[in-house]
Amino acid sequence: MSSREPTLADVARLAGVSLTTVSRVLNNRGYLSEKTKRRVADAIETLGYRPNSLARALHGMRTQTVGLIVPTVSLPFFGELAVEVENALAEAGYRILICNSMGRAEREREYLSLLVGNRVDGIISGAHNEGLQEYDTIRMPLVTIDRDLSPSIPNVRCANEEAGAAATRALLEAGSRHPVLLTSRSGLHNLREAGYRAEVEGAGLHARVLTVPFDTPTPQRFTMVRDALDEAHALEPVDGVFATDDLAGAEVLEWARTRDLSVPGDLSVIGFDGTETMRRALPHLATIRQPIEEIARAAVSILLGQIDGTLPRIPRDEAGAGVARTVEFAGTLLRGRSLAP
């Protein structure tokens, strides 16, 4: 048995057809008899031939591959998102390359270069780094999930501001008068924070935002959450926490346990994401469930529309100016025992 990988020429030779015919069979182009298709298919199976995706890209062909950039699949939301994106792509005949940026901008740049260099057919980005100018130079199909990169890049997400408001209302309705927000990054782009602030200030209360950076190493993370909550609690007793992800919500529950605060007696807690993983681990944690499957399928649908040419990457208004395309899905409040009745 030969030690080298079989080539397109080997397939053509065994099938008794030209290289062009093999190429046409692989790309389903032009009329070919069923007999010819069968001979080529048999030759491919006999030889164990695998098409070279990079070579196909260099010849202007699709690689049937899409890149997905996420902070890390070890986080339940992004792990389940990756599964749903992969399922939706597989149904359309595409494969996925999953890239974990680990929350670092430089690693995200490296993955962008890798994906573009390997000529994937499109990119879905859900990483959280801001200000990466490399995205402005990418001309291939591109969609983001829960990330405002540019008016020229479609963004698919949960309706975060409305969901953040719903989570905060749940705390207020549970009797909280000193609710705080625990999040990874405060600012204009944090729509969950905007929803929290609107509800708290609308109730005539004081908004307090605690931040623990997204890329904080796991061994240090709980210490930072504990210290932030301790400091806030010392200034004004904390009787409610809206954590913008369920892992942070779990850390709040642990903080309450170590400080002898009963949940929900002394403290009401609500998280965000509502993944299957966290629901199994902490079924009593109230949360806002994101419709992960719907978000994933919408992102894939938009990307495939760009790849096929049926959807423009940059929608235009009547004056011809680029218009940001944002697709939002409503979150669902899941009540749990961490909210006072």
Side-chain angles (χ1 to χ4, degrees), residues 276-310:
E276 291 298 323
T277 300
M278 293 302 295
R279 296 300 295 163
R280 287 196 297 269
L282 292 173
H284 60 287
L285 175 65
T287 189
I288 299 290
R289 181 171 60 196
Q290 295 200 63
I292 297 175
E293 181 178 357
E294 289 90 337
I295 290 171
R297 288 188 174 277
V300 168
S301 177
I302 293 171
L303 188 74
L304 295 182
Q306 292 181 22
I307 293 172
D308 295 337
T310 56

PDB file of all heavy atoms in Angstrom, residues 276-310:
ATOM      1  N   GLU A 276     -28.646  24.010  29.358  1.00  0.00           N
ATOM      2  CA  GLU A 276     -29.036  22.710  29.913  1.00  0.00           C
ATOM      3  C   GLU A 276     -28.051  22.273  30.994  1.00  0.00           C
ATOM      4  O   GLU A 276     -28.436  21.694  32.008  1.00  0.00           O
ATOM      5  CB  GLU A 276     -29.099  21.666  28.795  1.00  0.00           C
ATOM      6  CG  GLU A 276     -30.233  21.876  27.818  1.00  0.00           C
ATOM      7  CD  GLU A 276     -31.590  21.783  28.480  1.00  0.00           C
ATOM      8  OE1 GLU A 276     -31.747  20.935  29.392  1.00  0.00           O
ATOM      9  OE2 GLU A 276     -32.490  22.554  28.112  1.00  0.00           O
ATOM     10  N   THR A 277     -26.768  22.558  30.783  1.00  0.00           N
ATOM     11  CA  THR A 277     -25.740  22.169  31.743  1.00  0.00           C
ATOM     12  C   THR A 277     -25.991  22.797  33.098  1.00  0.00           C
ATOM     13  O   THR A 277     -25.983  22.125  34.144  1.00  0.00           O
ATOM     14  CB  THR A 277     -24.353  22.583  31.227  1.00  0.00           C
ATOM     15  OG1 THR A 277     -24.095  21.939  29.983  1.00  0.00           O
ATOM     16  CG2 THR A 277     -23.261  22.209  32.234  1.00  0.00           C
ATOM     17  N   MET A 278     -26.217  24.121  33.104  1.00  0.00           N
ATOM     18  CA  MET A 278     -26.416  24.813  34.369  1.00  0.00           C
ATOM     19  C   MET A 278     -27.776  24.497  34.984  1.00  0.00           C
ATOM     20  O   MET A 278     -27.916  24.469  36.208  1.00  0.00           O
ATOM     21  CB  MET A 278     -26.261  26.320  34.165  1.00  0.00           C
ATOM     22  CG  MET A 278     -24.843  26.751  33.811  1.00  0.00           C
ATOM     23  SD  MET A 278     -23.606  26.259  35.051  1.00  0.00           S
ATOM     24  CE  MET A 278     -24.127  27.219  36.466  1.00  0.00           C
ATOM     25  N   ARG A 279     -28.780  24.233  34.161  1.00  0.00           N
ATOM     26  CA  ARG A 279     -30.091  23.881  34.706  1.00  0.00           C
ATOM     27  C   ARG A 279     -30.022  22.551  35.450  1.00  0.00           C
ATOM     28  O   ARG A 279     -30.694  22.342  36.457  1.00  0.00           O
ATOM     29  CB  ARG A 279     -31.144  23.805  33.595  1.00  0.00           C
ATOM     30  CG  ARG A 279     -31.420  25.114  32.887  1.00  0.00           C
ATOM     31  CD  ARG A 279     -31.916  26.184  33.836  1.00  0.00           C
ATOM     32  NE  ARG A 279     -33.207  25.860  34.410  1.00  0.00           N
ATOM     33  CZ  ARG A 279     -33.708  26.441  35.500  1.00  0.00           C
ATOM     34  NH1 ARG A 279     -32.999  27.345  36.156  1.00  0.00           N
ATOM     35  NH2 ARG A 279     -34.890  26.105  35.939  1.00  0.00           N
ATOM     36  N   ARG A 280     -29.203  21.623  34.942  1.00  0.00           N
ATOM     37  CA  ARG A 280     -29.043  20.341  35.630  1.00  0.00           C
ATOM     38  C   ARG A 280     -28.246  20.505  36.921  1.00  0.00           C
ATOM     39  O   ARG A 280     -28.534  19.868  37.933  1.00  0.00           O
ATOM     40  CB  ARG A 280     -28.361  19.327  34.718  1.00  0.00           C
ATOM     41  CG  ARG A 280     -29.246  18.806  33.593  1.00  0.00           C
ATOM     42  CD  ARG A 280     -28.657  17.537  32.987  1.00  0.00           C
ATOM     43  NE  ARG A 280     -27.356  17.790  32.384  1.00  0.00           N
ATOM     44  CZ  ARG A 280     -27.174  18.129  31.107  1.00  0.00           C
ATOM     45  NH1 ARG A 280     -28.221  18.270  30.312  1.00  0.00           N
ATOM     46  NH2 ARG A 280     -25.965  18.325  30.627  1.00  0.00           N
ATOM     47  N   ALA A 281     -27.207  21.365  36.857  1.00  0.00           N
ATOM     48  CA  ALA A 281     -26.343  21.541  38.026  1.00  0.00           C
ATOM     49  C   ALA A 281     -27.009  22.381  39.111  1.00  0.00           C
ATOM     50  O   ALA A 281     -26.862  22.097  40.310  1.00  0.00           O
ATOM     51  CB  ALA A 281     -25.029  22.199  37.600  1.00  0.00           C
ATOM     52  N   LEU A 282     -27.738  23.424  38.697  1.00  0.00           N
ATOM     53  CA  LEU A 282     -28.368  24.335  39.662  1.00  0.00           C
ATOM     54  C   LEU A 282     -29.826  24.582  39.270  1.00  0.00           C
ATOM     55  O   LEU A 282     -30.183  25.689  38.844  1.00  0.00           O
ATOM     56  CB  LEU A 282     -27.607  25.664  39.710  1.00  0.00           C
ATOM     57  CG  LEU A 282     -26.193  25.648  40.298  1.00  0.00           C
ATOM     58  CD1 LEU A 282     -25.532  27.001  40.101  1.00  0.00           C
ATOM     59  CD2 LEU A 282     -26.247  25.301  41.789  1.00  0.00           C
ATOM     60  N   PRO A 283     -30.684  23.595  39.416  1.00  0.00           N
ATOM     61  CA  PRO A 283     -32.075  23.765  39.000  1.00  0.00           C
ATOM     62  C   PRO A 283     -32.816  24.821  39.810  1.00  0.00           C
ATOM     63  O   PRO A 283     -33.849  25.331  39.374  1.00  0.00           O
ATOM     64  CB  PRO A 283     -32.680  22.370  39.210  1.00  0.00           C
ATOM     65  CG  PRO A 283     -31.810  21.726  40.235  1.00  0.00           C
ATOM     66  CD  PRO A 283     -30.434  22.240  39.966  1.00  0.00           C
ATOM     67  N   HIS A 284     -32.302  25.164  40.990  1.00  0.00           N
ATOM     68  CA  HIS A 284     -32.978  26.147  41.838  1.00  0.00           C
ATOM     69  C   HIS A 284     -32.594  27.585  41.495  1.00  0.00           C
ATOM     70  O   HIS A 284     -33.200  28.527  42.022  1.00  0.00           O
ATOM     71  CB  HIS A 284     -32.663  25.875  43.315  1.00  0.00           C
ATOM     72  CG  HIS A 284     -31.204  25.951  43.636  1.00  0.00           C
ATOM     73  ND1 HIS A 284     -30.305  24.977  43.239  1.00  0.00           N
ATOM     74  CD2 HIS A 284     -30.480  26.896  44.307  1.00  0.00           C
ATOM     75  CE1 HIS A 284     -29.099  25.303  43.673  1.00  0.00           C
ATOM     76  NE2 HIS A 284     -29.173  26.455  44.299  1.00  0.00           N
ATOM     77  N   LEU A 285     -31.595  27.791  40.628  1.00  0.00           N
ATOM     78  CA  LEU A 285     -31.177  29.142  40.268  1.00  0.00           C
ATOM     79  C   LEU A 285     -32.138  29.754  39.255  1.00  0.00           C
ATOM     80  O   LEU A 285     -32.301  29.227  38.149  1.00  0.00           O
ATOM     81  CB  LEU A 285     -29.760  29.128  39.688  1.00  0.00           C
ATOM     82  CG  LEU A 285     -29.231  30.479  39.159  1.00  0.00           C
ATOM     83  CD1 LEU A 285     -29.081  31.480  40.312  1.00  0.00           C
ATOM     84  CD2 LEU A 285     -27.904  30.289  38.427  1.00  0.00           C
ATOM     85  N   ALA A 286     -32.772  30.864  39.615  1.00  0.00           N
ATOM     86  CA  ALA A 286     -33.605  31.594  38.658  1.00  0.00           C
ATOM     87  C   ALA A 286     -32.694  32.159  37.573  1.00  0.00           C
ATOM     88  O   ALA A 286     -31.543  32.535  37.845  1.00  0.00           O
ATOM     89  CB  ALA A 286     -34.354  32.717  39.363  1.00  0.00           C
ATOM     90  N   THR A 287     -33.192  32.223  36.356  1.00  0.00           N
ATOM     91  CA  THR A 287     -32.336  32.685  35.261  1.00  0.00           C
ATOM     92  C   THR A 287     -33.177  33.166  34.088  1.00  0.00           C
ATOM     93  O   THR A 287     -34.395  32.955  34.061  1.00  0.00           O
ATOM     94  CB  THR A 287     -31.383  31.555  34.806  1.00  0.00           C
ATOM     95  OG1 THR A 287     -30.421  32.073  33.884  1.00  0.00           O
ATOM     96  CG2 THR A 287     -32.154  30.428  34.121  1.00  0.00           C
ATOM     97  N   ILE A 288     -32.516  33.816  33.155  1.00  0.00           N
ATOM     98  CA  ILE A 288     -33.116  34.161  31.873  1.00  0.00           C
ATOM     99  C   ILE A 288     -32.529  33.201  30.840  1.00  0.00           C
ATOM    100  O   ILE A 288     -31.310  33.165  30.645  1.00  0.00           O
ATOM    101  CB  ILE A 288     -32.799  35.614  31.451  1.00  0.00           C
ATOM    102  CG1 ILE A 288     -33.357  36.614  32.470  1.00  0.00           C
ATOM    103  CG2 ILE A 288     -33.360  35.883  30.052  1.00  0.00           C
ATOM    104  CD1 ILE A 288     -34.866  36.719  32.500  1.00  0.00           C
ATOM    105  N   ARG A 289     -33.388  32.407  30.223  1.00  0.00           N
ATOM    106  CA  ARG A 289     -32.896  31.430  29.249  1.00  0.00           C
ATOM    107  C   ARG A 289     -32.784  32.078  27.865  1.00  0.00           C
ATOM    108  O   ARG A 289     -33.752  32.641  27.353  1.00  0.00           O
ATOM    109  CB  ARG A 289     -33.822  30.216  29.181  1.00  0.00           C
ATOM    110  CG  ARG A 289     -33.325  29.152  28.171  1.00  0.00           C
ATOM    111  CD  ARG A 289     -34.130  27.881  28.278  1.00  0.00           C
ATOM    112  NE  ARG A 289     -35.544  28.121  28.008  1.00  0.00           N
ATOM    113  CZ  ARG A 289     -36.508  27.262  28.324  1.00  0.00           C
ATOM    114  NH1 ARG A 289     -36.214  26.148  28.962  1.00  0.00           N
ATOM    115  NH2 ARG A 289     -37.768  27.535  28.031  1.00  0.00           N
ATOM    116  N   GLN A 290     -31.598  31.964  27.288  1.00  0.00           N
ATOM    117  CA  GLN A 290     -31.416  32.407  25.914  1.00  0.00           C
ATOM    118  C   GLN A 290     -31.861  31.283  24.965  1.00  0.00           C
ATOM    119  O   GLN A 290     -31.573  30.115  25.225  1.00  0.00           O
ATOM    120  CB  GLN A 290     -29.947  32.730  25.633  1.00  0.00           C
ATOM    121  CG  GLN A 290     -29.374  33.891  26.406  1.00  0.00           C
ATOM    122  CD  GLN A 290     -28.126  34.427  25.735  1.00  0.00           C
ATOM    123  OE1 GLN A 290     -28.169  34.911  24.611  1.00  0.00           O
ATOM    124  NE2 GLN A 290     -26.993  34.338  26.419  1.00  0.00           N
ATOM    125  N   PRO A 291     -32.519  31.631  23.851  1.00  0.00           N
ATOM    126  CA  PRO A 291     -32.918  30.604  22.878  1.00  0.00           C
ATOM    127  C   PRO A 291     -31.720  30.237  21.997  1.00  0.00           C
ATOM    128  O   PRO A 291     -31.606  30.689  20.852  1.00  0.00           O
ATOM    129  CB  PRO A 291     -34.030  31.298  22.093  1.00  0.00           C
ATOM    130  CG  PRO A 291     -33.671  32.747  22.148  1.00  0.00           C
ATOM    131  CD  PRO A 291     -33.015  32.967  23.485  1.00  0.00           C
ATOM    132  N   ILE A 292     -30.841  29.403  22.532  1.00  0.00           N
ATOM    133  CA  ILE A 292     -29.564  29.139  21.879  1.00  0.00           C
ATOM    134  C   ILE A 292     -29.738  28.518  20.494  1.00  0.00           C
ATOM    135  O   ILE A 292     -29.056  28.913  19.533  1.00  0.00           O
ATOM    136  CB  ILE A 292     -28.691  28.234  22.774  1.00  0.00           C
ATOM    137  CG1 ILE A 292     -28.380  28.959  24.091  1.00  0.00           C
ATOM    138  CG2 ILE A 292     -27.391  27.853  22.059  1.00  0.00           C
ATOM    139  CD1 ILE A 292     -27.618  28.109  25.088  1.00  0.00           C
ATOM    140  N   GLU A 293     -30.636  27.561  20.368  1.00  0.00           N
ATOM    141  CA  GLU A 293     -30.812  26.916  19.065  1.00  0.00           C
ATOM    142  C   GLU A 293     -31.301  27.920  18.022  1.00  0.00           C
ATOM    143  O   GLU A 293     -30.792  27.937  16.889  1.00  0.00           O
ATOM    144  CB  GLU A 293     -31.809  25.758  19.169  1.00  0.00           C
ATOM    145  CG  GLU A 293     -32.010  25.042  17.831  1.00  0.00           C
ATOM    146  CD  GLU A 293     -32.966  23.866  17.927  1.00  0.00           C
ATOM    147  OE1 GLU A 293     -33.442  23.572  19.045  1.00  0.00           O
ATOM    148  OE2 GLU A 293     -33.243  23.237  16.883  1.00  0.00           O
ATOM    149  N   GLU A 294     -32.263  28.757  18.387  1.00  0.00           N
ATOM    150  CA  GLU A 294     -32.784  29.745  17.439  1.00  0.00           C
ATOM    151  C   GLU A 294     -31.706  30.736  17.028  1.00  0.00           C
ATOM    152  O   GLU A 294     -31.597  31.118  15.859  1.00  0.00           O
ATOM    153  CB  GLU A 294     -33.979  30.482  18.044  1.00  0.00           C
ATOM    154  CG  GLU A 294     -35.228  29.632  18.169  1.00  0.00           C
ATOM    155  CD  GLU A 294     -35.308  28.902  19.507  1.00  0.00           C
ATOM    156  OE1 GLU A 294     -34.244  28.702  20.139  1.00  0.00           O
ATOM    157  OE2 GLU A 294     -36.421  28.522  19.897  1.00  0.00           O
ATOM    158  N   ILE A 295     -30.894  31.180  17.995  1.00  0.00           N
ATOM    159  CA  ILE A 295     -29.809  32.119  17.692  1.00  0.00           C
ATOM    160  C   ILE A 295     -28.810  31.483  16.730  1.00  0.00           C
ATOM    161  O   ILE A 295     -28.398  32.086  15.743  1.00  0.00           O
ATOM    162  CB  ILE A 295     -29.109  32.551  19.004  1.00  0.00           C
ATOM    163  CG1 ILE A 295     -30.041  33.455  19.821  1.00  0.00           C
ATOM    164  CG2 ILE A 295     -27.792  33.256  18.709  1.00  0.00           C
ATOM    165  CD1 ILE A 295     -29.534  33.758  21.218  1.00  0.00           C
ATOM    166  N   ALA A 296     -28.425  30.231  17.021  1.00  0.00           N
ATOM    167  CA  ALA A 296     -27.454  29.539  16.178  1.00  0.00           C
ATOM    168  C   ALA A 296     -27.975  29.351  14.761  1.00  0.00           C
ATOM    169  O   ALA A 296     -27.262  29.605  13.775  1.00  0.00           O
ATOM    170  CB  ALA A 296     -27.094  28.190  16.792  1.00  0.00           C
ATOM    171  N   ARG A 297     -29.219  28.910  14.637  1.00  0.00           N
ATOM    172  CA  ARG A 297     -29.770  28.642  13.305  1.00  0.00           C
ATOM    173  C   ARG A 297     -29.957  29.932  12.504  1.00  0.00           C
ATOM    174  O   ARG A 297     -29.759  29.935  11.289  1.00  0.00           O
ATOM    175  CB  ARG A 297     -31.085  27.879  13.431  1.00  0.00           C
ATOM    176  CG  ARG A 297     -30.876  26.433  13.875  1.00  0.00           C
ATOM    177  CD  ARG A 297     -32.125  25.594  13.836  1.00  0.00           C
ATOM    178  NE  ARG A 297     -31.800  24.201  14.133  1.00  0.00           N
ATOM    179  CZ  ARG A 297     -31.348  23.334  13.242  1.00  0.00           C
ATOM    180  NH1 ARG A 297     -31.207  23.706  11.975  1.00  0.00           N
ATOM    181  NH2 ARG A 297     -31.058  22.089  13.592  1.00  0.00           N
ATOM    182  N   ALA A 298     -30.316  31.016  13.175  1.00  0.00           N
ATOM    183  CA  ALA A 298     -30.447  32.287  12.464  1.00  0.00           C
ATOM    184  C   ALA A 298     -29.086  32.767  11.962  1.00  0.00           C
ATOM    185  O   ALA A 298     -28.965  33.246  10.826  1.00  0.00           O
ATOM    186  CB  ALA A 298     -31.073  33.335  13.380  1.00  0.00           C
ATOM    187  N   ALA A 299     -28.052  32.628  12.796  1.00  0.00           N
ATOM    188  CA  ALA A 299     -26.708  33.041  12.376  1.00  0.00           C
ATOM    189  C   ALA A 299     -26.234  32.216  11.191  1.00  0.00           C
ATOM    190  O   ALA A 299     -25.668  32.757  10.224  1.00  0.00           O
ATOM    191  CB  ALA A 299     -25.736  32.900  13.548  1.00  0.00           C
ATOM    192  N   VAL A 300     -26.462  30.911  11.238  1.00  0.00           N
ATOM    193  CA  VAL A 300     -26.056  30.038  10.136  1.00  0.00           C
ATOM    194  C   VAL A 300     -26.839  30.379   8.867  1.00  0.00           C
ATOM    195  O   VAL A 300     -26.282  30.440   7.771  1.00  0.00           O
ATOM    196  CB  VAL A 300     -26.240  28.557  10.513  1.00  0.00           C
ATOM    197  CG1 VAL A 300     -26.094  27.654   9.285  1.00  0.00           C
ATOM    198  CG2 VAL A 300     -25.226  28.155  11.587  1.00  0.00           C
ATOM    199  N   SER A 301     -28.134  30.611   9.011  1.00  0.00           N
ATOM    200  CA  SER A 301     -28.964  30.941   7.848  1.00  0.00           C
ATOM    201  C   SER A 301     -28.485  32.218   7.164  1.00  0.00           C
ATOM    202  O   SER A 301     -28.385  32.285   5.930  1.00  0.00           O
ATOM    203  CB  SER A 301     -30.425  31.096   8.283  1.00  0.00           C
ATOM    204  OG  SER A 301     -31.235  31.474   7.186  1.00  0.00           O
ATOM    205  N   ILE A 302     -28.166  33.238   7.951  1.00  0.00           N
ATOM    206  CA  ILE A 302     -27.684  34.501   7.385  1.00  0.00           C
ATOM    207  C   ILE A 302     -26.333  34.285   6.707  1.00  0.00           C
ATOM    208  O   ILE A 302     -26.080  34.786   5.598  1.00  0.00           O
ATOM    209  CB  ILE A 302     -27.583  35.574   8.473  1.00  0.00           C
ATOM    210  CG1 ILE A 302     -28.980  35.942   8.975  1.00  0.00           C
ATOM    211  CG2 ILE A 302     -26.865  36.819   7.945  1.00  0.00           C
ATOM    212  CD1 ILE A 302     -28.976  36.838  10.199  1.00  0.00           C
ATOM    213  N   LEU A 303     -25.457  33.522   7.357  1.00  0.00           N
ATOM    214  CA  LEU A 303     -24.137  33.285   6.774  1.00  0.00           C
ATOM    215  C   LEU A 303     -24.246  32.523   5.456  1.00  0.00           C
ATOM    216  O   LEU A 303     -23.590  32.872   4.470  1.00  0.00           O
ATOM    217  CB  LEU A 303     -23.265  32.497   7.756  1.00  0.00           C
ATOM    218  CG  LEU A 303     -21.799  32.356   7.317  1.00  0.00           C
ATOM    219  CD1 LEU A 303     -21.068  33.677   7.508  1.00  0.00           C
ATOM    220  CD2 LEU A 303     -21.093  31.255   8.096  1.00  0.00           C
ATOM    221  N   LEU A 304     -25.063  31.475   5.429  1.00  0.00           N
ATOM    222  CA  LEU A 304     -25.211  30.690   4.200  1.00  0.00           C
ATOM    223  C   LEU A 304     -25.849  31.536   3.099  1.00  0.00           C
ATOM    224  O   LEU A 304     -25.537  31.357   1.913  1.00  0.00           O
ATOM    225  CB  LEU A 304     -26.044  29.438   4.469  1.00  0.00           C
ATOM    226  CG  LEU A 304     -25.429  28.411   5.425  1.00  0.00           C
ATOM    227  CD1 LEU A 304     -26.336  27.199   5.559  1.00  0.00           C
ATOM    228  CD2 LEU A 304     -24.034  27.982   4.967  1.00  0.00           C
ATOM    229  N   GLY A 305     -26.723  32.462   3.484  1.00  0.00           N
ATOM    230  CA  GLY A 305     -27.294  33.371   2.500  1.00  0.00           C
ATOM    231  C   GLY A 305     -26.227  34.254   1.875  1.00  0.00           C
ATOM    232  O   GLY A 305     -26.245  34.522   0.658  1.00  0.00           O
ATOM    233  N   GLN A 306     -25.266  34.686   2.688  1.00  0.00           N
ATOM    234  CA  GLN A 306     -24.144  35.468   2.158  1.00  0.00           C
ATOM    235  C   GLN A 306     -23.273  34.601   1.238  1.00  0.00           C
ATOM    236  O   GLN A 306     -22.835  35.049   0.172  1.00  0.00           O
ATOM    237  CB  GLN A 306     -23.297  36.015   3.301  1.00  0.00           C
ATOM    238  CG  GLN A 306     -23.973  37.078   4.146  1.00  0.00           C
ATOM    239  CD  GLN A 306     -23.069  37.591   5.240  1.00  0.00           C
ATOM    240  OE1 GLN A 306     -21.843  37.482   5.165  1.00  0.00           O
ATOM    241  NE2 GLN A 306     -23.656  38.161   6.279  1.00  0.00           N
ATOM    242  N   ILE A 307     -23.019  33.370   1.671  1.00  0.00           N
ATOM    243  CA  ILE A 307     -22.179  32.476   0.874  1.00  0.00           C
ATOM    244  C   ILE A 307     -22.823  32.187  -0.480  1.00  0.00           C
ATOM    245  O   ILE A 307     -22.160  32.194  -1.521  1.00  0.00           O
ATOM    246  CB  ILE A 307     -21.920  31.157   1.640  1.00  0.00           C
ATOM    247  CG1 ILE A 307     -21.047  31.430   2.880  1.00  0.00           C
ATOM    248  CG2 ILE A 307     -21.263  30.126   0.736  1.00  0.00           C
ATOM    249  CD1 ILE A 307     -20.905  30.231   3.797  1.00  0.00           C
ATOM    250  N   ASP A 308     -24.131  31.956  -0.467  1.00  0.00           N
ATOM    251  CA  ASP A 308     -24.847  31.639  -1.704  1.00  0.00           C
ATOM    252  C   ASP A 308     -25.152  32.870  -2.559  1.00  0.00           C
ATOM    253  O   ASP A 308     -25.592  32.734  -3.706  1.00  0.00           O
ATOM    254  CB  ASP A 308     -26.168  30.927  -1.387  1.00  0.00           C
ATOM    255  CG  ASP A 308     -25.945  29.565  -0.746  1.00  0.00           C
ATOM    256  OD1 ASP A 308     -24.852  28.999  -0.949  1.00  0.00           O
ATOM    257  OD2 ASP A 308     -26.847  29.075  -0.043  1.00  0.00           O
ATOM    258  N   GLY A 309     -24.966  34.043  -1.974  1.00  0.00           N
ATOM    259  CA  GLY A 309     -25.248  35.266  -2.720  1.00  0.00           C
ATOM    260  C   GLY A 309     -26.694  35.695  -2.693  1.00  0.00           C
ATOM    261  O   GLY A 309     -27.090  36.621  -3.411  1.00  0.00           O
ATOM    262  N   THR A 310     -27.512  35.047  -1.854  1.00  0.00           N
ATOM    263  CA  THR A 310     -28.928  35.410  -1.782  1.00  0.00           C
ATOM    264  C   THR A 310     -29.190  36.518  -0.765  1.00  0.00           C
ATOM    265  O   THR A 310     -30.265  37.109  -0.754  1.00  0.00           O
ATOM    266  CB  THR A 310     -29.791  34.190  -1.421  1.00  0.00           C
ATOM    267  OG1 THR A 310     -29.314  33.627  -0.179  1.00  0.00           O
ATOM    268  CG2 THR A 310     -29.693  33.132  -2.517  1.00  0.00           C
TER     269      THR A 310
END
